[in-house]
């Protein structure tokens, strides 16, 4: 994934981010997988090859971790993919929801600071529809 794609995901999740090259982190970690296996990554391979070097986040963006130098590490593609599958389990759903709500709150606060209207306010919600579903609107005679 490119640096711009990581930054776009960080913005979408409402977490902090830094702009840096992936190669900077890969060279810092000497192209060794930092997940615990310490296997070397093959610089000549590209994803989805299992030994291809990728940039992994220690704390996932969806769980509140930022795209910063301190929160990124070199990982083999296979290890990174395995870690992503673990994060997608139901026990992380609550963390993801909390992060999403915080991201929405941050976007709302940013829009308010810029003097823009909230996205859902003033869209002309038809209250007659809500009456229909609440039972206030009676059926017409035939």
């Amino acid at each position: 994934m490119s640096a711009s794609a990581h930054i776009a995901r960080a913005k979408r999740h409402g977490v902090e981010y830094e702009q840096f090259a992936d190669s900077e982190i890969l060279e810092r970690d000497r192209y060794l997988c930092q997940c615990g296996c310490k296997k070397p990554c093959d610089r000549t391979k590209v994803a989805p090859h299992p030994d291809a070097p990728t940039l992994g986040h220690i704390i996932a963006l969806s769980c509140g971790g930022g795209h910063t130098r301190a929160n990124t590490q070199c990982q083999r593609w296979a290890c990174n993919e395995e870690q992503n599958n673990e994060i997608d389990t139901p026990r992380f759903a609550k963390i993801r929801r909390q992060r999403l709500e915080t991201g929405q709150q941050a976007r709302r606060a940013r829009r308010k600071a810029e003097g823009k209207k909230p996205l859902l306010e003033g869209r002309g919600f038809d209250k007659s529809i809500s009456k229909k579903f609440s039972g206030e609107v009676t059926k017409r005679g035939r």
Side-chain angles (χ1 to χ4, degrees):
M1 187 178 284
S2 68
S4 59
H6 281 296
I7 290 173
R9 283 186 57 226
K11 286 180 180 179
R12 190 170 60 241
H13 289 291
V15 296
E16 64 178 320
Y17 61 91
E18 296 175 7
Q19 191 161 6
F20 55 89
D22 292 358
S23 60
E24 181 182 336
I25 303 301
L26 299 174
E27 289 172 11
R28 176 194 73 188
D29 294 338
R30 298 187 194 113
Y31 285 88
L32 292 175
C33 185
Q34 300 297 310
C35 76
C37 69
K38 295 292 183 187
K39 292 182 181 177
C41 297
D42 189 350
R43 298 178 194 202
T44 62
K45 306 293 182 192
V46 294
H49 190 279
D51 291 331
T54 60
L55 197 65
H57 293 90
I58 298 167
I59 300 172
L61 298 177
S62 61
C63 294
H67 180 66
T68 60
R69 288 176 178 87
N71 192 41
T72 53
Q73 62 186 2
C74 176
Q75 285 186 330
R76 293 172 51 244
W77 184 83
C79 296
N80 198 353
E81 198 62 22
E82 184 178 319
Q83 182 183 13
N84 289 339
N85 291 339
E86 288 175 9
I87 289 172
D88 288 336
T89 59
R91 67 183 176 159
F92 287 98
K94 184 177 180 183
I95 296 171
R96 194 175 303 114
R97 270 196 311 274
Q98 288 173 347
R99 184 72 244 161
L100 179 63
E101 290 167 2
T102 306
Q104 288 172 347
Q105 291 167 358
R107 286 190 293 277
R108 287 182 186 132
R110 196 168 44 246
R111 288 186 65 82
K112 188 175 183 180
E114 293 171 358
K116 297 179 181 177
K117 285 185 178 180
L119 291 176
L120 295 177
E121 190 175 296
R123 292 276 176 115
F125 178 71
D126 187 5
K127 292 182 181 177
S128 65
I129 294 173
S130 64
K131 288 179 184 177
K132 180 179 178 181
F133 292 115
S134 66
E136 291 180 31
V137 177
T138 59
K139 291 184 180 179
R140 296 181 190 174
R142 293 181 196 228

